Amino acid sequence: MGRLFGTDGVRGLANESLSPELALHISSAAAQVLGRGSGRGLAVVGRDPRASGEMLVSAVTAGLTAAGMDVLSVGVLPTPAVAHLTGVHDACLGVMISASHNAMPDNGIKIFAAGGHKLEDEVEDRIEELVQAGSFVRPTGAAIGRVLSLSGADGQVEGSYSVAGTHQRYVDHLVAATGRDLSGLHVVVDCAHGAASDVGPAAYRAAGARVTAINAEPDGLNINDDCGSTHMDKISRAVVEYGADLGLAHDGDADRCLAVDATGAVVDGDAIMVILAQAMRDAGELVQDTLVTTVMSNLGLHIALREDAIAVRTTAVGDRYVLEELRRGGYSLGGEQSGHVVLPAHGTTGDGVLTGLKLMARMAETGRSLRDLADVMTAVPQVLINVPVSDKAAVAAAPEVHEAVAKAGRELGDNGRVLLRASGTEQLIRVMVEATDPERARRLADDLAGLVARV
């Protein structure tokens, strides 16, 4: 068995590489590693609407209870909601069943530690070791975990929980974090037939906005199907059709948010981060006047924030690296170009609905349109080429490749940048060149891609 955990949990084709047996073993191991050692612990379990989630939630619940953990199943909710509720209910761990923006046949298991924090590498390693060894604690009798199940038409559950109340608690948390009445703003929301289909529009309405929801009718099979943040054409057309002030697009588990302005033009994660960084700086909330983002953010973000005296700290690609840097430096804003934005004062992971609320709050505060706010950043032309290779590690370490990258960087100077990195999941080398001169960017990218292919 290879490494189970990727950059964002365990993911695969549901009922094949991600089988119910594997889900049961992972959850049992997680309970054993993350349990508190004395007394019965609690695990919060949620999912996105894809059909295989029903099967996998059952397997995860079986694994957790078999390890002596009580389970609070919160139903269909965004990933950040599960993380938030893990902390609210003082649970030992949280489990989200979702494959995020992936197509419906895939699914995934994301695990949160106490407080709703993503797992550190060494914790993932310990869980993997137990799974591979097949070594699980199996209590008997009264020590077996219980499922806090629905027990009436009013949605009440054993104990003090209710699914309806749990969902409302998350909406209340989002609205409280918004900090401003959004009355007067009309927003179109593309829910990707995903986990935000109910709570996303509910939160936007509760904050005062007029909401038109599209792709908010999940049937288990249509999640991310030609909609959501990976298919922005739908939201762009809808905003123009409805005459809305802006549009917001989420992915299947709603930890991402991309936007479009009133004309239907896309406002990506880089522009959103620039807008939020300026808002937080003006409010005295941007710790050390610093934004944390990955190396994939456009050079235009760096230029815009440099001109505004806001520092940028960069990390490797992946939200987990952004989170690590946020926690290490105590920073208050971070994210990725994909629209995965983290606000540690309000959540432990990226929250697409919260991002949308904060973006609209800036519009309400300033009285400016989204287009006007986004115009502070001009994206630098970018060329990205994926080059198939037989050994990505060897190619990335080749001296001639390093020399060529350095030479291209010297040619660009302050007018561009070069990034070459190995894919985390495929035998590919990704060559990215940004330059104010698009023809130069293309020439340098082609030259570097050709060299990589020959090494």
Side-chain angles (χ1 to χ4, degrees), residues 9-349:
V10 179
R11 197 172 295 187
L13 182 60
N15 216 26
E16 191 174 272
S17 59
L18 183 56
S19 66
E21 293 87 354
L22 178 59
L24 185 146
H25 292 156
I26 290 172
S27 55
S28 285
Q32 193 166 323
V33 170
L34 296 169
R36 292 179 179 141
S38 61
R40 174 167 282 149
L42 176 70
V44 174
V45 178
R47 66 179 180 91
D48 71 23
R50 68 190 75 212
S52 61
E54 300 163 2
M55 169 188 73
L56 292 172
V57 163
S58 296
V60 165
T61 299
L64 292 167
T65 53
M69 190 77 66
D70 288 342
V71 172
L72 172 62
S73 182
V74 297
V76 174
L77 271 180
T79 290
V82 173
H84 173 70
L85 294 169
T86 298
V88 165
H89 292 300
D90 192 30
C92 296
L93 72 152
V95 181
M96 177 67 183
I97 308 299
S98 175
S100 190
H101 60 280
N102 284 30
M104 180 277 295
D106 290 342
N107 217 323
I109 300 174
K110 302 181 182 183
I111 301 174
F112 297 98
H117 296 285
K118 290 201 172 186
L119 303 186
E120 297 178 352
D121 288 346
E122 50 268 32
V123 176
E124 291 183 347
D125 291 342
R126 287 164 58 198
I127 292 172
E128 287 197 19
E129 288 170 4
L130 290 178
V131 171
Q132 292 173 355
S135 176
F136 308 112
V137 171
R138 288 286 185 260
T140 59
I144 294 174
R146 303 294 298 276
V147 179
L148 304 179
S149 58
L150 295 173
S151 60
D154 60 355
Q156 293 300 309
V157 298
E158 298 167 7
S160 59
Y161 306 107
S162 75
V163 170
T166 298
H167 287 204
Q168 187 59 47
R169 177 173 284 189
Y170 174 60
V171 170
D172 292 344
H173 157 71
L174 293 172
V175 175
T178 305
R180 187 167 293 273
D181 182 6
L182 303 181
S183 298
L185 288 176
H186 180 193
V187 59
V188 178
V189 184
D190 187 338
C191 300
H193 296 306
S197 294
D198 289 331
V199 298
Y204 294 129
R205 290 189 180 105
R210 176 186 169 197
V211 179
T212 300
I214 64 173
N215 299 315
E217 298 176 347
D219 61 10
L221 306 178
N222 58 2
I223 188 170
N224 298 322
D225 186 9
D226 195 27
C227 58
S229 61
T230 53
H231 299 86
M232 296 295 289
D233 54 318
K234 296 285 181 67
I235 188 77
S236 293
R237 289 198 300 268
V239 167
V240 175
E241 177 185 348
Y242 289 105
D245 296 297
L246 77 159
L248 300 171
H250 300 302
D251 60 338
D253 69 336
D255 63 355
R256 297 185 185 188
C257 176
L258 295 179
V260 299
D261 65 22
T263 72
V266 174
V267 178
D268 71 6
D270 282 344
I272 291 171
M273 286 188 287
V274 169
I275 293 168
L276 297 187
Q278 291 176 331
M280 293 175 67
R281 188 273 317 278
D282 292 349
E285 299 171 351
L286 190 64
V287 173
Q288 297 183 44
D289 287 345
T290 297
L291 167 73
V292 178
T293 188
T294 76
V295 292
M296 292 303 291
S297 278
N298 190 273
L299 180 61
L301 172 145
H302 296 262
I303 294 172
L305 293 182
R306 183 167 64 234
E307 292 175 350
D308 215 19
I310 294 175
V312 179
R313 294 190 66 86
T314 56
T315 73
V317 175
D319 69 287
R320 65 183 303 162
Y321 302 112
V322 173
L323 286 163
E324 287 173 5
E325 184 63 21
L326 285 168
R327 296 179 69 179
R328 185 182 300 114
Y331 301 114
S332 53
L333 177 64
E336 299 180 279
Q337 190 181 58
S338 61
H340 190 216
V341 176
V342 185
L343 294 153
H346 305 294
T348 56
T349 187

Side-chain angles (χ1 to χ4, degrees), residues 399-418:
E400 59 267 44
V401 172
H402 281 256
E403 182 180 342
V405 169
K407 181 180 178 182
R410 289 192 297 270
E411 179 178 338
L412 291 172
D414 293 334
N415 296 314
R417 66 178 183 134
V418 180

